[in-house]
Amino acid sequence: MKLSRLRCRTGNDVTDAYLEGDARIRAFYDYGFDQASLKRRSFDVAQHYDETQRDLLLEAIREQLSNATEIQRAQWERLRDPRALVVVTGQQAGLFTGPLYTIHKALSTVALARQMEQEMNVPVIPVFWVAAEDHDFDEVASAHYVSDEGTLRRVSLKTRPVPRTPVGIHDVPAREMRGMLEQISADLRDGLYTADLVAELNTLHAAHSRMGTLFQKTLQAWLGEFPILVIDPTTRAMRRAAAAAFAQVLDEKEDPAGRSSRRQGEP
């Protein structure tokens, strides 16, 4: 499969102005989206965080690679390089990975990381951050698709999570998953890949019933041929890695990115 990167206007004037380097907007941000700004950002991050934190992160990610493909595991190996940078995107842990733009985000991040690696001459790893700590269940509880008859159909979760808990730790009941997949099978009975898709989703749910992990493993499987790390931040190891970074930010007496005293040494 060939990936081509296209830049289109977003429709949001502020976002478009930022991406185009408009000086009227640039003053409100520490970094622009041009190559020089990204290099400066990478320098600031490298000065602020040490290899101990990278090691914590690597260990936390390694625990999540049990179902990863070889090309995905290779990104973990590349992340061990002390020069390595990441390009991060993310999305809430939606039912069946949520809207189609979830896939578009992931593929765009792969393409952007590839471009940044060529321009900056260092390893750049694409990362998909599963926003499993989100609490908006109604936003992620449904999935839409087009039936064989060309009508828009929807399946939805009925059982709600415990109040004030992250959506990502909600267990999807087996009976609800079975009912949704039966409806999808009936609506897409003429689909060339319907049987394989339903079987794969059944298998994934049987092994991973929590919404966050199910989202992660499904996206990981569907993007198996692409070099991207899909990360669930709710694991104990990831929380330990995050806690170390948060503690450093809270203890830092200067700007959180370490810029105020370090810019004199920038390349």
Side-chain angles (χ1 to χ4, degrees), residues 124-165:
V124 180
I125 292 86
V127 170
F128 192 103
W129 185 272
V130 181
E133 296 172 307
D134 192 274
H135 286 63
D136 192 342
F137 179 73
D138 292 327
E139 188 177 19
V140 300
S142 299
H144 296 80
Y145 57 94
V146 178
S147 72
D148 287 342
E149 286 72 34
T151 59
L152 186 64
R153 299 282 285 159
R154 182 177 75 172
V155 289
S156 300
L157 292 168
K158 307 302 182 186
T159 304
R160 302 185 67 83
V162 176
R164 299 180 181 178
T165 58

Side-chain angles (χ1 to χ4, degrees), residues 169-195:
I169 66 173
H170 175 57
D171 274 307
V172 177
R175 67 181 183 281
E176 289 194 34
M177 177 60 70
R178 184 167 56 252
M180 291 187 294
L181 293 179
E182 286 174 354
Q183 178 181 323
I184 291 172
S185 294
D187 288 338
L188 301 177
R189 59 188 177 278
D190 296 330
L192 183 60
Y193 303 105
T194 299

Side-chain angles (χ1 to χ4, degrees), residues 8-21 25 29 33:
C8 303
R9 294 188 66 83
T10 67
N12 181 293
D13 290 341
V14 173
T15 302
D16 289 334
Y18 170 76
L19 292 174
E20 293 165 5
I25 295 297
Y29 294 89
F33 200 62

